[in-house]
Amino acid sequence: MAENLRDGFIRCRQGTLELFEAIDDSTFRHQVHPDFSPVGWHLGHIAYTEALWLLQHCAGMAPLRPQYHKLLAADGLPKSERVNLPEFPEIVAYLDEVRDRTFSYLEMAPISEQERLWRFILQHESQHTETIGFLLNLQRGPWQPTADSPASPVADRSESDDIEIPGGDFWQGNDRPDALDNERSSHLYSLPTYAIDRYPVTCAQYRQFIDARGYQTPAYWSPEGWNWVRTHQIDRPLYWTGDRTFDTHPVCGVSYYEAEAYARFAGKRLPTESEWEKAASWNPDGEIQQLYPWGDRFPTATHCNHDNAHPHTTPVDAYPQGASPYGCYDMLGNVWEWTASTFDRYPGFSAFPYRGYSQTYFDGEHRVLRGGSFVTRPWAMRCSFRNWYHPWIRQIFAGFRCARSL
């Protein structure tokens, strides 16, 4: 088990540092959006959190570089004041120092007792590298088509656009060691029969909403959404290029409000997170819950677009090997998918490793996203994984698929 953790920590860190290759100091410390910290802060925070939980709490070591604690703690400084960072080489030296001590401790740590915390730290780095990924994207500007993007296999469009999911019980949630507190506890949940889209909504489909003056038609919007779209003068998704090369790709950079408005325009609705999870994870043949849509095998490049394998989205039908037992494509990777559900606790919830990780956000204001994006790391991607954001956020790589009641 210790060797497996060590390998995961090494692979994850390699991917983290690759994001910073040839980065300049201005990009490193620039706050590109007021809701998010500079990418350099996220890199330092990764080291700080690893040291706090594994070295201080578990190993009982004294704090490393206490001068960083106020700067790099999640509750230390307002985001606008996190631009005064040490230089990139100094942050990397801090990462290396923490990691050397972490691996020394790993050789003697009681992993059977601590495994859940070690896997939390691995996922914590994964989640922050995702944030780094979309913040760097915001600074780089519009996407450009690339030759290495996998071509669409041109799925049989005679297939129904949506799939009927029979009603009944299924297991929702996750109790494995890598499950975060908000995924627990696994519980039996019953749903009526419903239908869900085979693919995420594509740019070509979303163009119909734009061309039909969807952004100018209040009937498609909730009162909150209409106020938001008018106040901020929104008339297209954040990552919209208009390039028809992306027509078969999922629409990306939409808020919950935009996803909800499109679904109403299409005569459908957004799925609940329970409906999404059943369509992604439940195998009706064996009546078993799968960790990933394709089974329990760790994600690879043949299953979905993730882990920065491509610089942007890919066609929604480019990964047939990643389809769920019900036949849904792109349930993991490519774009996060908004659901109709408000982020809340599951039965048996217990905060871990601290109250502020999930419990603070059970405020009735955050909406659940599922699935992962093209920058999501494999350690933070599974059918039960829950992401959450305010409904107006669209800087994340988010899209959606629709559902309808039967």
Side-chain angles (χ1 to χ4, degrees):
M1 188 185 304
E3 192 60 35
N4 175 269
L5 283 169
R6 181 185 178 92
D7 178 66
F9 271 60
I10 291 172
R11 289 176 54 203
C12 185
R13 181 58 51 82
Q14 288 172 342
T16 300
L17 294 178
E18 285 173 2
L19 294 174
F20 290 87
E21 291 179 354
I23 195 169
D24 59 77
D25 188 67
S26 175
T27 302
F28 185 70
R29 62 183 70 248
H30 176 56
Q31 187 185 23
V32 68
H33 189 279
D35 287 342
F36 300 96
S37 304
V39 294
W41 182 89
H42 286 278
L43 188 64
H45 177 70
I46 287 168
Y48 166 79
T49 303
E50 183 175 317
L52 175 67
W53 289 102
L54 297 182
L55 301 184
Q56 292 177 227
H57 282 270
C58 291
M61 297 181 187
L64 290 176
R65 306 197 186 191
Q67 70 272 22
Y68 288 172
H69 287 197
K70 185 174 183 180
L71 171 63
L72 298 177
D75 56 356
L77 290 174
K79 292 180 174 66
S80 60
E81 297 179 22
R82 295 174 178 178
V83 297
N84 299 313
L85 294 162
E87 294 184 354
F88 173 66
E90 188 173 340
I91 292 291
V92 172
Y94 179 40
L95 284 161
D96 290 343
E97 181 181 7
V98 171
R99 182 51 57 85
D100 287 345
R101 297 194 182 199
T102 294
F103 281 169
S104 293
Y105 175 60
L106 179 60
E107 295 177 1
M108 63 187 76
I111 295 300
S112 59
E113 302 171 17
Q114 298 176 357
E115 181 183 4
R116 189 179 173 195
L117 182 59
W118 284 80
R119 297 200 180 279
F120 169 84
I121 294 300
L122 178 57
Q123 292 178 81
H124 176 268
E125 177 165 344
S126 299
Q127 289 174 277
H128 278 275
T129 55
E130 169 136 10
T131 303
I132 290 165
F134 70 71
L135 291 176
L136 288 173
N137 184 85
L138 284 172
Q139 297 189 62
R140 289 169 182 154
W143 298 348
Q144 298 297 324
T146 54
D148 67 337
S149 179
S152 167
V154 192
D156 181 3
R157 295 305 183 182
S158 65
E159 294 178 326
S160 173
D161 287 340
D162 59 22
I163 297 169
E164 183 175 316
I165 309 293
D169 294 342
F170 80 105
W171 285 99
Q172 176 173 282
N174 188 348
D175 290 328
R176 302 187 191 212
D178 57 354
L180 301 176
D181 61 1
N182 61 72
E183 294 173 76
R184 295 168 179 253
S185 294
S186 180
H187 56 284
L188 204 60
Y189 196 87
S190 183
L191 286 169
T193 300
Y194 63 99
I196 191 168
D197 286 357
R198 185 180 299 275
Y199 307 102
V201 171
T202 65
C203 290
Q205 291 171 314
Y206 199 86
R207 182 180 285 106
Q208 297 174 16
F209 175 69
I210 296 174
D211 292 346
R213 295 184 56 78
Y215 280 96
Q216 291 78 39
T217 307
Y220 299 136
W221 301 80
S222 66
E224 299 82 6
W226 183 243
N227 180 63
W228 172 81
V229 79
R230 303 310 294 165
T231 299
H232 298 281
Q233 299 184 345
I234 306 297
D235 64 359
R236 69 195 66 188
L238 180 61
Y239 299 116
W240 187 260
T241 69
D243 188 335
R244 291 185 179 272
T245 304
F246 293 103
D247 271 5
T248 60
H249 294 222
V251 66
C252 184
V254 294
S255 67
Y256 170 84
Y257 296 138
E258 290 166 284
E260 181 185 46
Y262 174 91
R264 191 170 289 118
F265 162 79
K268 297 184 178 182
R269 59 175 175 80
L270 295 179
T272 66
E273 65 168 322
S274 299
E275 290 172 333
W276 189 99
E277 186 171 336
K278 182 175 183 179
S281 69
W282 191 244
N283 189 326
D285 292 336
E287 295 192 339
I288 57 172
Q289 179 192 45
Q290 298 182 169
L291 188 59
Y292 308 107
W294 53 85
D296 288 347
R297 183 184 172 195
F298 196 68
T300 70
T302 64
H303 293 122
C304 58
N305 180 15
H306 73 293
D307 206 16
N308 296 286
H310 302 285
H312 50 60
T313 55
T314 50
V316 296
D317 54 359
Y319 293 91
Q321 293 187 49
S324 76
Y326 284 113
C328 292
Y329 283 60
D330 255 11
M331 299 299 280
L332 294 188
N334 227 2
V335 291
W336 288 98
E337 299 184 19
W338 288 104
T339 73
S341 298
T342 300
F343 187 53
D344 204 351
R345 71 195 70 217
Y346 281 165
F349 171 83
S350 179
F352 180 88
Y354 59 98
R355 182 182 179 276
Y357 179 71
S358 295
Q359 190 168 337
T360 300
Y361 303 98
F362 298 150
D363 55 8
E365 298 179 1
H366 290 75
R367 296 286 181 168
V368 175
L369 300 101
R370 292 300 197 103
S373 76
F374 63 91
V375 299
T376 304
R377 314 300 300 278
W379 301 276
M381 189 172 65
R382 51 189 170 269
C383 293
S384 59
F385 193 96
R386 307 169 77 199
N387 198 358
W388 65 93
Y389 274 99
H390 280 116
W392 57 83
I393 292 295
R394 60 191 200 135
Q395 288 71 31
I396 56 176
F397 297 131
F400 62 100
R401 74 182 68 217
C402 296
R404 57 189 178 92
S405 303
L406 296 177

